[in-house]
Amino acid sequence: MMTTQTGSLEKPVDVASPAATGSRLQAIARGEAFSPAIHAELEREQSVLDVDDFNLWYGAAQALHNINMKVPAGKVTSMIGPSGCGKSTLLRSVNRLNDLIDCVRVKGDMRINGQTIYHKSVDVIELRKRMGMVFQKSNPFPMSIYENVVYPLRIDGERNKAVLDEVCERSLRGAALWNEVKDRLQESALGMSGGQQQRLCIARAISAEPEVLLMDEPCSALDPIATNHIEDLIHELKGEYTILIVTHNMQQAARVSDYTAFMYLGRLIEYGPTATLFQKPILRETLDYVTGRFG
Amino acid sequence: MSAKTDRLPSASGKRRGSSDGSATLLAHGEPMVWLTGGGLALAVVMIVGLLGLVVYQGIFTFLPVPVVRSELHDGRVHMGEVTRRESYRPAASVIDSMPEAIQERARAEVAATDGWAKRRLVRTGNFELSGEHFDWVSDYEVARDRFPEWALVIERVTWGRFYGEPVAFEIEHRLEKATSAEAQAFAGLLHPAAGRELRFRVGGVLLAPEAVDQAAQVDACIEIWRDPADVWRQFGKYHGDVRKRLERRQRLEKHDTGKVSHRSEAARLELREAEIAAEKAGQRHGPDSPRTAEARRRLEEQRVAQAAVDAEGLGEFQRIRGEIQALNQENARYRMVMKTTSTAETPVSLSDIVRAYPANQLSLGDKIGIYFSRWGEFLADDPREANMEGGVWPAIFGTVVMTLIMSMLVVPFGVLAALYLREYAKAGPMISAVRIAINNLAGVPSIVFGVFGLGFFCYLVGGSIDQLFFEAKLPSPTYGTGGIMWASFTLALLTLPVVIVATEEALSAVPSSMREGSYACGASKWQTIKRIVLPRAMPGIMTGMILAMARGAGEVAPLMLVGAVKLAPELPIDSVFPFLHPERSFMHLGFHIFDLGFQSQNSEAAKPMVFTTTLLLILIVAGLNLFAVMIRNRLRKRFQSSAF
Ligand SMILES: Nc1ncnc2c1ncn2[C@@H]1O[C@H](COP(=O)(O)OP(=O)(O)OP(=O)(O)O)[C@@H](O)[C@H]1O
Ligand SMILES: [Mg+2]
């Protein structure tokens, strides 16, 4: 379904006047309303995930303010922003992992392929099966490599060995891990290296063929070579999967993603094609951030 | 210095202080090292000391020691094994009360060692002759110690040990009112044997065959060996057969008789059930209704059936009794005549002897053999003589079975409770209260659990079960009294907090990243718990189980109320249908130790047994724990990540 809802995507009023830079961030810090700069290219994209006026509170503290954003299908979208700005929170809101935290309260909605995510009638478990998630710290389960990969199928009650074998191989190949582990599938996953473990988690995340792949700083605990592996992997997965990735590494965002969203203090500030955002952003603040002048 | 630190309370100030080299000892932390290290050392010394004592005392109990024959100055003679030596200060009055002739020497001897004297505890045995099992002998009383070559240590079925020197071995052949000629003819048929004498018993008197009057009636012909070596050889030859007959007798008494009485008991119960049914039918449907008549008819049938079973049982009993009598008679033919210190000669029937050995001529191999044979008896046999002798097999069995049942009960319950507390319950005052209550439960004195178990499990639950299912057996209780099942329940309750606390800890130690990973894959809460949380928490749960087992296996106080007994005639698992008898009372090593140490008549003999049994209990608890630890380590290996 083509989403053309762009009601909130209005052009910001004052475009990058240097004087306004500090004051705009101050205004945000004061809690004043702010409308983000959304680049026009996004309107032409077909979206998989739509975030509509999404707010989230941890207890009394608001962590997300009025987020409106659409994640284009088959593309890699990265989220950047200073620590604590709510990137992980937003990512975890997509598959409602925040439901596990008692004090969380939300307002607004998200839609995946047009279907609402935040509604009482939504079966959270079914919803999560439509998404794969990779965490900052790799979290293989205490079982064999094989069982780790087919875990999403196992909990669906899949028993057919042929199906499981096929999925296992496909996912491990997809995560560029097959050649390394094909002879030790029955060994414990905890005996792998950190980078292998993270790729295993990616294999697990894609084994159920999710509609969206959520990645929260998947490389932050890895060395450059393992990071390269994963970045290559993201490139390969692109097209097949829609990927939403959080990263602290500006170069990485520039390398792997098609679109980039810049967040600050729980707000979406600017969102557009990666190249534009990094070279000629609409807002001065974005330029300051990506060039390392603040944040 | 103190002024300096007062002035400079900041970290930098401290650092400067120590780099000056003028810091106090306390600042270096060395006193704390000594204090904490000292605490640890104390704990280690205590543990090692405890274990060392138990192991040292327990391990030598079964070692055979020489038999010493001490002749005292006052003419008394002691013969037996020296179990212990110690120094003491003899009171002057003791020496004063000695006979004049030896007072001087004793006094001089004691004075030479500054008023100290040595004495030894001699196990003199022969209780039925002397009325004592042990005797203290002071060194200054002893005129002479000898180690008689043929002094025998005899472990008997009853009356404890016997020490003596063999003077004869006798085999009796009973003759039915034989004439002298017939007896002679019979004697001629016996195998000739070296060193053997023949005697005929005529009217209670033993006579040499030549001296028997032609007209006399001979009651028995007796073969006699008098040389100690011959006696010992003959003993070795016949003792095995005698033991076998004894075992056969025991089997008849226990197993066969048990089967018969079990059958007649079952028939009696059926009759009683029929009676109850008839009575109830009469009350419910009136005395004339067809149902009552039917019930009455069945009752009559049962009466007939029971009478038949009883008659059959009686026949069977008589057959068994006859066989037992024959075995007894056969065994009574063999006896050894012993010379002791107190009486001239005492016959000891071979069937009374469990084990005998010439203690002063054992080779090392013999000693080791006896040592292990005693361990074997200890581990595998039933107790004898008010638990003082024999083995502790029923107690081992009871301890292990009870501990296993307890673990099987407590682990699932504890894990379920902990799962609810940790995974499902919403934190709040209610849950906090429950948690506090559980933690406090761990501190409740165990006897309280015993009282609860007795009141609730035995009387209330067990009583109700009896009312419902075992009415025919009433008023004698089936489940309404202590038993291994109720003991296991009680101990499960006692150890529940341990398992809950350990499991909760293990559950909370499962990293949240793993749970989130599972949820993110679309797993439900229960799937996450079952597939991720529980396996991962398993080692911790096993730790809880190990702690519970260690606590439960060593607990005695509550068991005394809910089913542990001094002597249980039957094991809770045996070959009689339905094989498992959870209602039976049982023996327990912990209770056995208590019983040996504090309830026995013969406390000196009990002492080494206490240590040996304690050693065994420790070994069993350690063994059970080791088993669990091994399982835990195997589990743990699976969950250890090599990547960081
Ligand atoms: N479980 C929680 N309970 C309360 N507040 C939380 C919780 N998790 C996050 N927050 C708060 O929400 C805000 C956003 O956190 P979030 O983890 O989304 O930041 P982030 O952008 O991912 O930061 P980083 O780049 O450091 O990972 C922070 O101010 C944080 O303190
Ligand atoms: Mg984060």
Side-chain angles (χ1 to χ4, degrees):
Chain A
M1 186 179 110
M2 175 76 186
T3 315
T4 49
Q5 229 183 359
T6 51
S8 58
L9 304 184
E10 31 189 274
K11 283 269 167 191
V13 244
D14 48 358
V15 176
S17 73
T21 300
S23 65
R24 194 146 42 210
L25 294 183
Q26 276 159 15
I28 289 172
R30 276 197 303 275
E32 286 173 20
F34 172 80
S35 45
I38 311 284
H39 293 228
E41 287 89 336
L42 276 158
E43 284 174 43
R44 289 196 289 278
E45 290 284 357
Q46 183 182 2
S47 75
V48 168
L49 182 73
D50 291 281
V51 182
D52 303 328
D53 278 327
F54 193 78
N55 293 272
L56 184 143
W57 290 263
Y58 286 113
Q62 189 164 9
L64 295 176
H65 298 257
N66 261 336
I67 307 284
N68 280 290
M69 131 180 214
K70 48 190 244 174
V71 178
K75 295 278 159 58
V76 178
T77 305
S78 65
M79 293 199 279
I80 59 171
S83 181
C85 69
K87 305 179 296 290
S88 299
T89 304
L90 182 60
L91 202 70
R92 289 161 53 90
S93 301
V94 175
N95 65 354
R96 289 185 64 171
L97 218 48
N98 281 329
D99 289 12
L100 300 176
I101 300 167
D102 284 333
C103 61
V104 163
R105 199 158 50 79
V106 302
K107 208 179 101 203
D109 196 7
M110 298 187 183
R111 281 169 296 130
I112 178 159
N113 283 330
Q115 286 156 307
T116 177
I117 291 178
Y118 280 91
H119 191 266
K120 278 199 293 292
S121 65
V122 175
D123 183 349
V124 182
I125 287 171
E126 286 308 315
L127 175 79
R128 287 185 190 138
K129 284 179 184 161
R130 299 168 63 180
M131 310 177 189
M133 186 157 189
V134 180
F135 295 80
Q136 175 171 2
K137 196 173 169 300
S138 64
N139 55 355
F141 299 142
M143 35 178 103
S144 69
I145 295 173
Y146 182 89
E147 286 301 323
N148 256 284
V149 178
V150 301
Y151 185 79
L153 281 79
R154 281 264 189 239
I155 56 177
D156 261 352
E158 179 65 64
R159 289 246 175 76
N160 188 338
K161 185 94 172 64
V163 174
L164 293 174
D165 284 348
E166 193 258 306
V167 167
C168 178
E169 179 170 353
R170 179 175 53 72
S171 310
L172 283 173
R173 278 191 196 284
L177 196 60
W178 175 251
N179 287 329
E180 284 161 76
V181 301
K182 63 170 181 262
D183 299 324
R184 41 185 279 216
L185 289 178
Q186 296 310 326
E187 281 172 38
S188 168
L190 302 177
M192 306 164 82
S193 78
Q196 286 174 327
Q197 287 189 1
Q198 189 64 303
R199 275 179 285 152
L200 180 72
C201 292
I202 295 176
R204 186 174 71 202
I206 60 177
S207 68
E209 309 206 312
E211 293 163 40
V212 183
L213 194 54
L214 309 168
M215 301 177 130
D216 192 351
E217 301 180 41
C219 305
S220 66
L222 301 182
D223 68 30
I225 296 177
T227 303
N228 268 345
H229 262 297
I230 305 245
E231 283 180 12
D232 291 347
L233 191 58
I234 291 171
H235 270 298
E236 274 164 39
L237 294 175
K238 183 159 73 177
E240 210 174 327
Y241 297 100
T242 303
I243 298 176
L244 187 57
I245 179 172
V246 170
T247 177
H248 266 160
N249 183 330
M250 239 57 81
Q251 285 80 26
Q252 184 173 60
R255 279 195 302 268
V256 300
S257 66
D258 304 305
Y259 291 95
T260 299
F262 171 50
M263 288 180 68
Y264 181 70
L265 280 188
R267 281 126 179 124
L268 183 62
I269 305 294
E270 184 165 352
Y271 184 22
T274 301
T276 327
L277 199 101
F278 275 87
Q279 279 147 22
K280 295 197 299 285
I282 297 173
L283 297 183
R284 180 67 195 267
E285 291 79 0
T286 310
L287 191 66
D288 286 350
Y289 182 73
V290 298
T291 51
R293 251 168 284 178
F294 96 97
Chain B
M1 177 64 226
S2 80
K4 204 173 179 185
T5 27
D6 281 349
R7 226 167 2 93
L8 296 166
S10 71
S12 66
K14 249 188 218 154
R15 210 176 302 129
R16 190 182 325 153
S18 58
S19 64
D20 283 349
S22 59
T24 62
L25 208 55
L26 205 64
H28 278 302
E30 246 120 70
M32 288 321 284
V33 173
W34 283 103
L35 194 66
T36 50
L40 179 69
L42 203 67
V44 169
V45 164
M46 260 158 41
I47 292 167
V48 170
L50 179 82
L51 282 181
L53 178 78
V54 170
V55 170
Y56 177 81
Q57 296 273 10
I59 225 163
F60 292 121
T61 306
F62 293 143
L63 206 64
V65 296
V67 171
V68 60
R69 184 188 153 97
S70 315
E71 289 160 19
L72 306 190
H73 289 301
D74 60 3
R76 285 182 297 153
V77 179
H78 285 296
M79 186 156 88
E81 296 166 296
V82 176
T83 50
R84 185 143 61 89
R85 288 174 193 278
E86 65 179 35
S87 292
Y88 80 118
R89 265 178 193 282
S93 61
V94 175
I95 297 181
D96 287 344
S97 66
M98 290 170 70
E100 296 283 334
I102 54 176
Q103 269 189 21
E104 270 322 300
R105 276 201 27 209
R107 225 172 254 131
E109 254 180 63
V110 172
T113 46
D114 284 340
W116 287 92
K118 283 220 164 62
R119 63 178 175 183
R120 56 201 178 197
L121 185 64
V122 183
R123 182 172 195 173
T124 52
N126 307 12
F127 185 75
E128 77 278 26
L129 301 175
S130 62
E132 299 279 351
H133 286 290
F134 288 85
D135 230 333
W136 282 108
V137 178
S138 302
D139 278 358
Y140 59 77
E141 291 178 300
V142 178
R144 203 153 70 100
D145 279 339
R146 284 199 311 116
F147 296 90
E149 187 190 7
W150 279 105
L152 288 189
V153 176
I154 299 180
E155 293 167 29
R156 294 180 297 178
V157 177
T158 50
W159 295 114
R161 295 218 179 148
F162 189 92
Y163 301 94
E165 289 168 87
V167 291
F169 187 89
E170 300 181 357
I171 303 177
E172 181 175 321
H173 304 274
R174 207 152 299 150
L175 303 171
E176 287 296 327
K177 295 195 172 118
T179 64
S180 155
E182 279 169 337
Q184 295 277 7
F186 175 82
L189 292 176
L190 290 172
H191 280 293
R196 183 189 65 185
E197 293 170 15
L198 281 182
R199 288 288 179 275
F200 289 167
R201 194 166 68 215
V202 181
V205 190
L206 290 188
L207 296 171
E210 312 82 56
V212 175
D213 195 55
Q214 283 298 323
Q217 257 187 12
V218 180
D219 297 326
C221 168
I222 298 167
E223 294 178 87
I224 302 177
W225 286 263
R226 293 209 186 274
D227 182 53
D230 282 340
V231 171
W232 182 241
R233 206 170 305 126
Q234 294 303 319
F235 171 81
K237 192 162 151 195
Y238 291 107
H239 185 236
D241 292 340
V242 170
R243 291 300 300 175
K244 260 186 216 125
R245 279 190 283 270
L246 216 57
E247 272 163 30
R248 168 96 188 109
R249 194 188 90 186
Q250 268 168 2
R251 214 172 29 247
L252 282 169
E253 277 171 346
K254 255 184 122 164
H255 189 248
D256 295 25
T257 317
K259 236 159 118 184
V260 176
S261 48
H262 185 78
R263 226 178 294 147
S264 70
E265 173 70 10
R268 199 188 63 76
L269 281 180
E270 268 173 45
L271 176 64
R272 178 83 187 106
E273 266 163 26
E275 262 174 28
I276 293 171
E279 218 170 273
K280 279 196 182 146
Q283 280 167 5
R284 200 172 301 158
H285 308 291
D288 305 322
S289 88
R291 286 207 198 166
T292 314
E294 167 70 14
R296 290 231 175 89
R297 196 185 53 71
R298 217 171 281 145
L299 174 60
E300 283 314 311
E301 273 174 25
Q302 276 307 333
R303 282 221 169 98
V304 175
Q306 203 242 350
V309 170
D310 266 0
E312 192 192 330
L314 206 64
E316 186 81 341
F317 264 135
Q318 257 152 11
R319 185 189 64 74
I320 292 171
R321 209 175 304 142
E323 200 174 332
I324 288 175
Q325 220 158 24
L327 288 168
N328 281 350
Q329 260 173 14
E330 177 65 17
N331 269 356
R333 290 175 50 218
Y334 305 90
R335 62 181 166 264
M336 214 160 16
V337 182
M338 306 291 292
K339 187 174 75 190
T340 68
T341 54
S342 52
T343 52
E345 288 183 359
T346 314
V348 180
S349 170
L350 244 60
S351 61
D352 259 351
I353 300 177
V354 176
R355 182 186 293 107
Y357 56 90
N360 294 337
Q361 30 173 307
L362 294 179
S363 68
L364 185 66
D366 294 339
K367 279 188 186 170
I368 293 173
I370 290 169
Y371 180 75
F372 283 109
S373 128
R374 277 177 173 166
W375 264 109
E377 182 194 355
F378 182 66
L379 294 179
D381 277 13
D382 285 348
R384 288 183 274 114
E385 294 243 45
N387 294 352
M388 295 288 307
E389 306 266 337
V392 292
W393 166 243
I396 298 175
F397 191 83
T399 308
V400 171
V401 168
M402 190 213 61
T403 309
L404 291 183
I405 299 180
M406 179 204 76
S407 319
M408 281 183 321
L409 286 171
V410 72
V411 171
F413 271 106
V415 169
L416 286 179
L419 270 181
Y420 183 81
L421 279 177
R422 180 60 59 183
E423 302 287 330
Y424 288 102
K426 282 240 167 4
M430 185 67 193
I431 290 304
S432 303
V434 168
R435 242 187 223 130
I436 291 170
I438 287 170
N439 282 330
N440 282 329
L441 210 59
V444 172
S446 54
I447 192 76
V448 176
F449 283 95
V451 173
F452 173 79
L454 183 69
F456 181 73
F457 290 130
C458 300
Y459 292 162
L460 197 70
V461 182
S464 311
I465 292 176
D466 279 2
Q467 286 288 339
L468 288 174
F469 302 108
F470 298 94
E471 202 179 0
K473 268 197 192 168
L474 286 173
S476 70
T478 309
Y479 280 93
T481 180
I484 195 162
M485 183 168 84
W486 296 143
S488 306
F489 269 89
T490 307
L491 284 196
L493 218 59
L494 175 85
T495 49
L496 192 62
V498 179
V499 175
I500 292 181
V501 169
T503 307
E504 267 210 79
E505 231 144 70
L507 291 177
S508 62
V510 175
S512 62
S513 68
M514 263 184 204
R515 295 166 199 263
E516 289 191 341
S518 171
Y519 287 128
C521 287
S524 66
K525 181 148 200 158
W526 174 239
Q527 282 171 328
T528 303
I529 290 174
K530 191 179 77 176
R531 288 169 184 268
I532 308 292
V533 177
L534 270 186
R536 175 62 211 231
M538 219 19 134
I541 295 173
M542 294 289 293
T543 303
M545 185 173 120
I546 291 166
L547 289 174
M549 267 168 39
R551 169 114 204 252
E555 199 60 71
V556 178
L559 294 182
M560 300 202 290
L561 299 180
V562 292
V565 290
K566 184 184 167 75
L567 190 67
E570 292 154 311
L571 295 178
I573 299 175
D574 65 14
S575 58
V576 176
F577 183 80
F579 311 120
L580 265 172
H581 307 277
E583 80 282 2
R584 281 190 186 162
S585 53
F586 65 107
M587 288 178 71
H588 185 274
L589 279 173
F591 183 64
H592 194 80
I593 292 168
F594 169 74
D595 182 57
L596 275 177
F598 301 99
Q599 310 281 294
S600 74
Q601 307 288 314
N602 182 0
S603 62
E604 273 303 339
K607 215 182 272 176
M609 292 297 273
V610 167
F611 282 113
T612 314
T613 316
T614 309
L615 179 64
L616 188 66
L617 179 61
I618 291 176
L619 286 179
I620 286 179
V621 174
L624 284 171
N625 282 0
L626 204 70
F627 178 62
V629 167
M630 260 156 47
I631 298 177
R632 183 181 63 182
N633 285 354
R634 283 189 52 168
L635 287 174
R636 243 192 214 149
K637 232 177 252 156
R638 277 178 42 202
F639 304 135
Q640 245 158 19
S641 177
S642 60
F644 293 100

Coordinates of all heavy atoms in Angstrom, one line a residue, chain A residues 58 63 82-89 101 217 248, ligand 1:
Chain A
Y58 N 8.9 7.3 29.7 CA 9.4 6.3 30.7 C 8.9 6.9 32.0 O 9.5 7.9 32.5 CB 10.9 6.2 30.7 CG 11.5 5.4 29.5 CD1 12.2 6.1 28.6 CD2 11.3 4.1 29.5 CE1 12.8 5.4 27.5 CE2 11.8 3.4 28.4 CZ 12.6 4.0 27.5 OH 13.1 3.3 26.4
A63 N 10.4 10.4 26.4 CA 11.7 10.0 25.7 C 11.5 10.3 24.2 O 12.5 10.5 23.5 CB 12.0 8.6 25.9
P82 N 22.9 12.1 19.1 CA 23.7 12.0 20.3 C 23.2 11.0 21.3 O 22.0 10.6 21.2 CB 23.7 13.4 21.0 CG 22.6 14.1 20.3 CD 22.3 13.5 19.0
S83 N 24.0 10.5 22.2 CA 23.6 9.5 23.1 C 22.4 9.9 23.9 O 22.4 11.1 24.4 CB 24.8 9.1 24.0 OG 24.4 8.1 24.9
G84 N 21.5 9.0 24.1 CA 20.3 9.4 24.9 C 19.2 10.1 24.2 O 18.3 10.5 24.8
C85 N 19.3 10.2 22.9 CA 18.3 11.0 22.2 C 17.1 10.2 21.8 O 16.1 10.7 21.3 CB 18.9 11.6 20.9 SG 19.3 10.4 19.7
G86 N 17.1 8.9 22.1 CA 15.9 8.1 21.9 C 15.9 7.2 20.7 O 14.9 6.7 20.3
K87 N 17.1 6.9 20.1 CA 17.2 6.1 18.9 C 16.7 4.6 19.3 O 15.9 4.1 18.6 CB 18.6 6.1 18.4 CG 19.1 7.4 18.1 CD 20.6 7.4 17.5 CE 21.6 6.8 18.5 NZ 21.9 7.7 19.7
S88 N 17.4 4.1 20.3 CA 17.0 2.8 20.7 C 15.6 2.7 21.1 O 14.9 1.7 20.8 CB 17.9 2.3 21.9 OG 19.2 2.3 21.5
T89 N 15.1 3.7 21.8 CA 13.7 3.7 22.2 C 12.8 3.6 21.0 O 11.8 2.8 21.0 CB 13.4 4.9 23.1 OG1 14.4 5.0 24.2 CG2 12.0 4.9 23.6
I101 N 8.8 -3.2 29.5 CA 9.2 -2.3 30.6 C 7.9 -1.7 31.2 O 7.1 -1.2 30.5 CB 10.1 -1.2 30.1 CG1 11.4 -1.8 29.5 CG2 10.5 -0.2 31.2 CD1 12.2 -0.8 28.7
E217 N 22.8 -0.6 16.8 CA 24.2 -0.5 16.9 C 24.9 -1.9 16.8 O 25.5 -2.4 17.7 CB 24.7 0.2 18.2 CG 24.1 1.6 18.3 CD 24.6 2.2 19.6 OE1 25.7 2.0 20.0 OE2 23.7 2.9 20.2
H248 N 26.2 4.9 15.8 CA 26.9 6.1 16.4 C 28.0 6.5 15.4 O 28.6 7.5 15.6 CB 27.5 5.7 17.7 CG 26.6 6.1 18.8 ND1 26.8 5.5 20.1 CD2 25.6 6.9 18.9 CE1 25.9 6.0 20.9 NE2 25.1 6.9 20.2
Ligands
LIG1 N1 14.3 1.5 30.8 C1 14.3 2.9 30.8 N2 13.7 3.5 31.9 C2 13.8 4.8 32.0 N3 14.3 5.6 31.1 C3 14.9 5.1 30.0 C4 15.0 3.7 29.9 N4 15.6 3.4 28.7 C5 16.0 4.6 28.2 N5 15.6 5.6 29.0 C6 15.8 7.0 28.8 O1 15.3 7.3 27.5 C7 16.1 8.2 26.8 C8 16.5 7.6 25.5 O2 17.2 6.4 25.6 P1 17.7 5.6 24.4 O3 18.3 4.3 25.0 O4 16.6 5.4 23.5 O5 18.9 6.5 23.9 P2 19.8 6.1 22.6 O6 19.6 7.2 21.6 O7 19.7 4.8 22.2 O8 21.2 6.4 23.3 P3 22.6 5.6 22.9 O9 23.0 6.2 21.7 O10 23.4 6.0 24.1 O11 22.2 4.2 22.9 C9 17.4 8.4 27.7 O12 17.2 9.6 28.3 C10 17.3 7.3 28.7 O13 17.8 7.7 29.9

